[in-house]
Amino acid sequence: MREIARRAGVSQKTVSRVVNGEPHVSEALRERVQREITLLGYLPDANARALVTRRSRRIGVITTDTGYFGPSSVLRGLERAARGAGYFVGVVHADEHDAAETTRSVRHLVSQGVEAVAVSAPVAWPFDLLAGVPAGVPLLRMEYPAGPPEPGVIRVGSDDVDAAREATAHLLALGHRTVHHIAGPPAWTVTGRRISGWRAALRAAGAPEPAFRHGDWSAAAGCRMAGELLREPGVTALFVANDQMAIGAMYAVRRSGRRIPEDVSVVGFDDIPEAAYLSVPLTTVRQDFTAMAEQGMRRLVAAVSEEGPLDEPAQDVLIPGTFVVRESTAPPPHVPPPARPSARPPAPAVPPAPSATRRAALPEDGGRR
């Protein structure tokens, strides 16, 4: 740093401010120092800095099942938001079937001096996932904030219940007698919430509540579950707990000889990038994973700032979904579609001339028949 200061013609304190991203440095000085840093290939010693500042600027993330669209999107959002705030992220992929290995991984993460921990684990764990996290370390849970607030814990999640209720109500409003549901795996926390929203909409409308089926989030499971449902009479609407299973369900509908949406309407959940480009674009619920991650990380960074960890219960945050109507939903076959208003009003009728009226009123043979 002394060499950089000498070459840039500034004080060592100015170099320190630039390296640490502190304010009160002009843009011209910042560029001059950064140019010398690049030329010399200088890399700050993070361990040395942590010893001096008692700040590691590291956040640990515990996650699982990142092969699925939702969890992988949340993880990408957390990493992006942390980098934007000047923090590095260390990730542990936990194994719900191996408590000992998961505990060792979490303890290793904490041993690296992380200032806070974010958890994005969508399943109900059979053991204490956070056993290796010391008390007092700020914690972010990326999940639906159910239950009373927890001191020192930030909870940010999507409002799956309301989104599932809206998706089901949309189908009922189109005239479907009821809506059949293909749910996610029982161990996932979002599965129960989406079932709750579906069930609430049916009960509010006084609609029959058919038995739902569990899938595993895959298109193959959606195809299989929909194939079973389509053997039952009167199935005209499917609410499917994620888009991949919805795509499989759409394949099963077409394979059964029925049309989407003329015979069967399908609604998904998540709004994956491919949903808008299917042969029949999919009506679905869009989740704002970026907003969830940014809201959570902003609060977590505030908790480890100079003010110190949160002593009071953190504010829970619910991010609403956005219902996106595309071409995979329509009234059922026995209900005519709503009349669409004409682009322009019809021209007023012009009454025919009297002679023409008299001729039209008489048969061609003069009335002899």
Side-chain angles (χ1 to χ4, degrees), residues 29-347:
L29 280 182
R30 191 179 301 276
E31 289 179 0
R32 190 193 311 170
V33 171
Q34 192 60 55
R35 182 168 57 250
E36 296 302 331
I37 288 175
T38 302
L39 290 172
L40 290 174
Y42 170 69
L43 294 175
D45 187 328
N47 292 326
R49 180 192 295 176
L51 287 172
V52 173
T53 63
R54 298 175 184 251
R55 299 282 306 278
S56 68
R57 301 196 73 82
R58 294 176 182 168
I59 291 176
V61 176
I62 303 170
T63 186
T64 183
D65 292 314
T66 52
Y68 296 103
F69 178 74
S72 65
S73 298
V74 170
L75 178 59
R76 284 196 302 271
L78 288 172
E79 290 178 315
R80 190 180 303 114
R83 286 198 304 270
Y87 282 78
F88 296 98
V89 169
V91 180
V92 164
H93 292 269
D95 183 353
E96 63 180 296
H97 304 294
D98 192 336
E101 178 58 31
T102 295
T103 301
R104 282 194 297 270
S105 298
V106 171
R107 286 177 177 167
H108 175 72
L109 186 70
V110 172
S111 72
Q112 296 177 358
V114 295
E115 297 183 38
V117 172
V119 181
S120 176
V123 299
W125 288 79
F127 53 86
D128 185 1
L129 180 64
L130 303 174
V133 179
V137 174
L139 181 65
L140 166 65
R141 289 182 182 271
M142 300 299 297
E143 62 181 355
Y144 186 90
E150 304 169 74
V153 178
I154 303 157
R155 299 186 298 187
V156 178
S158 60
D159 195 347
D160 296 274
V161 176
D162 190 64
R165 183 189 298 114
E166 184 177 4
T168 307
H170 165 75
L171 291 164
L172 294 171
L174 289 172
H176 294 275
R177 176 175 171 270
T178 190
V179 178
H180 289 73
H181 182 42
I182 300 176
W188 285 58
T189 55
V190 297
T191 296
R193 295 198 293 271
R194 293 172 194 177
I195 291 172
S196 296
W198 163 76
R199 182 176 286 142
L202 293 178
R203 291 179 178 177
E209 186 179 315
F212 58 85
R213 284 167 166 76
H214 285 291
D216 62 6
W217 300 129
S218 69
C223 179
R224 186 170 61 255
M225 297 300 103
E228 294 177 4
L229 285 171
L230 291 169
R231 296 191 193 105
E232 302 176 7
V235 176
T236 63
L238 298 175
F239 167 49
V240 189
N242 79 325
D243 287 349
Q244 281 92 344
M245 289 198 299
I247 290 172
M250 294 170 78
Y251 177 77
V253 171
R254 290 191 296 269
R255 193 170 64 176
S256 73
R258 279 167 271 199
R259 300 164 299 166
I260 302 170
E262 293 86 354
D263 301 313
V264 179
S265 290
V266 180
V267 173
F269 208 105
D270 284 341
D271 196 25
I272 62 174
E274 298 83 3
Y277 302 99
L278 302 173
S279 58
V280 178
L282 179 63
T283 296
T284 186
V285 175
R286 177 180 300 151
Q287 295 198 84
D288 196 340
F289 297 110
T290 299
M292 289 169 55
E294 289 177 349
Q295 291 267 10
M297 190 56 68
R298 181 168 62 83
R299 285 166 169 76
L300 193 60
V301 168
V304 297
S305 64
E306 295 179 359
E307 288 76 18
L310 296 176
D311 296 323
E312 299 297 325
Q315 180 183 2
D316 293 336
V317 180
L318 262 183
I319 305 295
T322 301
F323 191 61
V324 182
V325 179
R326 296 196 179 101
E327 297 171 29
S328 66
T329 54
H334 60 278
V335 176
R340 295 185 177 180
S342 175
R344 58 181 180 181

